[in-house]
Amino acid sequence: MDVVTAFLNGNLEEEIYMKQPDGIIEPGKEHLVCKLERSLYGLKQSPRCWNKALKEYLLSIGFTQSSADPCVFVKKSDTLTVIAVYVDDLIILTKNSDEITKIKEILNFRFKMKDMGELYFWLGMSIIQDKAKKCLLINQQRYLEKVLKKFKQTEAKTMTIPVDVNVKLRKNDNVSNNVDPILYQSIIGSLLYAAIVTSPDIAHAVGVLSKICASPDESHLAAAKRVLGYLKGTKQYGIKYRKTDNAAITEYSDANWAGDLDDRQSTSGNVFMMANGPISWLSKKQATVALSTEESEYIALSQATEEAIWLRRLLQDIGMEIWDPILINEDNQGQ
């Protein structure tokens, strides 16, 4: 569902006046101003006013706000209903089609909304639902094609892996020439979105490249274009989730000790698997310098445990109780 002119639904808490818009000013009344009763597009508080209005209405019709994610609302009655909110876009999930129709009617009673039909494209993601095989595939092929075209990499050489394992990037190798930082930052920003949403296979490469946004050189730009070349050959790939009777979460955690050649900090990496696919992943440089491989692994495990606790809370909020411990697989061979 898409809310029409969502920000106009918010009630202002402040007293705000604005100049009369062009085209409605009456002769002799040019000195008058308009007092705003509702929020308008362009006001800094408009997103908050809209979110408050939506939240209050959802709570009034029986939904509760998730403690793990404030953008998720859950209604537990005869049929579990979940609404995920992104600004003015709403995804409604329930097992009963009649319940979806009922929820849409209730929402339309309060807000003017457009019914976008079955979910197939959202925030740059293509969602393919195969009801016969009981699986769901998400990918970003359309988004990646736009990124490749934007940076003129549609004819680039296809790469089989996103990074050159024989090259260790540094902030300054004293050899390569500097490149346009705006171009480099634009590439990294586009890659970051793909790495966060559907491409855990480039998470490490993008994380390494992100730390060099201030002063990139030719070697960094070449590494970024290598990731684009890898995505060119894998743009049609995605993440597939399959129905399973086992709702358990399996997690893998690891760390590379002192992998950053500039500050000798380590990098944590983890991925959480559920329904035969990854649901959460991370590749992030650690905030402190680890003095041993064991210490770097413990730091990575701590970060993974934080995510495991959050996932358990989120799943509990949407009606999926996980009583068994979350298994975290870790390399425990240190030195």
Side-chain angles (χ1 to χ4, degrees):
M1 301 288 286
D2 178 51
V3 184
V4 179
T5 57
F7 287 2
L8 303 185
N9 292 284
N11 293 314
L12 290 171
E13 299 176 356
E14 305 84 5
E15 189 171 308
I16 299 177
Y17 298 89
M18 62 172 282
K19 293 181 179 180
Q20 296 185 61
D22 294 336
I24 67 168
I25 303 175
E26 296 183 23
K29 296 183 179 181
E30 295 85 353
H31 63 288
L32 297 179
V33 294
C34 300
K35 180 182 178 182
L36 297 182
E37 298 291 343
R38 297 288 185 92
S39 58
L40 287 180
Y41 284 84
L43 291 177
K44 291 182 178 180
Q45 59 267 63
S46 291
R48 180 179 179 274
C49 293
W50 154 241
N51 181 264
K52 183 180 179 182
L54 177 64
K55 173 186 173 181
E56 290 177 348
Y57 185 66
L58 290 176
L59 295 179
S60 69
I61 59 176
F63 282 85
T64 58
Q65 191 173 29
S66 169
S67 61
D69 190 334
C71 294
V72 174
F73 295 84
V74 183
K75 184 178 183 181
K76 299 177 181 178
S77 54
D78 297 335
T79 301
L80 175 68
T81 304
V82 180
I83 296 180
V85 180
Y86 184 81
V87 190
D88 58 352
D89 293 324
L90 280 67
I91 297 178
I92 306 173
L93 304 94
T94 182
K95 293 182 179 180
N96 191 327
S97 58
D98 293 335
E99 183 68 16
I100 289 183
T101 302
K102 179 182 176 181
I103 293 297
K104 288 179 179 180
E105 291 175 353
I106 295 174
L107 291 173
N108 272 306
F109 178 78
R110 173 64 176 82
F111 306 108
K112 185 178 180 181
M113 310 185 80
K114 291 189 294 185
D115 190 342
M116 309 302 290
E118 188 172 281
L119 184 66
Y120 66 93
F121 189 77
W122 195 62
L123 298 179
M125 290 182 290
S126 296
I127 297 96
I128 303 171
Q129 304 181 51
D130 191 333
K131 298 179 181 179
K133 296 182 179 179
K134 297 181 179 180
C135 65
L136 182 146
L137 173 69
I138 60 173
N139 65 30
Q140 289 180 282
Q141 182 172 353
R142 289 165 60 180
Y143 170 77
L144 294 176
E145 288 173 349
K146 291 181 180 179
V147 171
L148 291 170
K149 184 178 180 180
K150 177 180 178 181
F151 299 112
K152 300 179 176 59
Q153 297 298 307
T154 54
E155 302 299 326
K157 181 180 178 181
T158 301
M159 298 295 175
T160 56
I161 56 176
V163 295
D164 187 342
V165 295
N166 297 315
V167 175
K168 296 291 185 180
L169 293 177
R170 307 195 65 165
K171 289 185 178 180
N172 185 2
D173 60 7
N174 297 316
V175 176
S176 304
N177 297 321
N178 289 338
V179 296
D180 181 8
I182 296 178
L183 171 64
Y184 182 82
Q185 292 163 10
S186 182
I187 294 176
I188 298 305
S190 300
L191 293 176
L192 269 172
Y193 187 63
I196 291 172
V197 179
T198 61
S199 301
D201 46 346
I202 67 170
H204 173 68
V206 176
V208 171
L209 294 170
S210 298
K211 69 176 185 177
I212 317 171
C213 284
S215 182
D217 59 33
E218 294 170 337
S219 64
H220 307 140
L221 183 60
K225 289 184 176 180
R226 181 187 178 93
V227 180
L228 291 173
Y230 170 77
L231 291 175
K232 178 191 173 186
T234 59
K235 60 186 178 182
Q236 72 278 13
Y237 293 174
I239 300 175
K240 180 180 286 188
Y241 300 104
R242 300 180 182 86
K243 182 181 179 181
T244 175
D245 295 330
N246 184 8
I249 297 176
T250 303
E251 197 272 340
Y252 300 88
S253 175
D254 202 359
N256 76 326
W257 179 46
D260 193 306
L261 298 180
D262 294 306
D263 54 24
R264 308 309 295 175
Q265 289 177 251
S266 309
T267 299
S268 298
N270 63 59
V271 59
F272 289 79
M273 305 291 293
M274 187 179 186
N276 297 299
I279 59 171
S280 176
W281 53 86
L282 169 76
S283 179
K284 182 180 181 181
K285 192 166 73 170
Q286 296 177 2
T288 59
V289 177
L291 302 180
S292 65
T293 56
E294 289 99 332
E295 187 175 343
S296 67
E297 299 288 0
Y298 274 120
I299 294 174
L301 278 171
S302 175
Q303 294 173 320
T305 303
E306 292 175 6
E307 185 72 4
I309 294 172
W310 177 81
L311 281 172
R312 185 187 289 274
R313 286 175 53 202
L314 178 63
L315 292 173
Q316 183 179 8
D317 287 343
I318 62 175
M320 295 181 64
E321 295 281 358
I322 297 181
W323 301 105
D324 296 331
I326 296 178
L327 178 64
I328 299 181
N329 298 278
E330 170 59 52
D331 176 14
N332 60 0
Q333 299 299 316
Q335 57 183 345

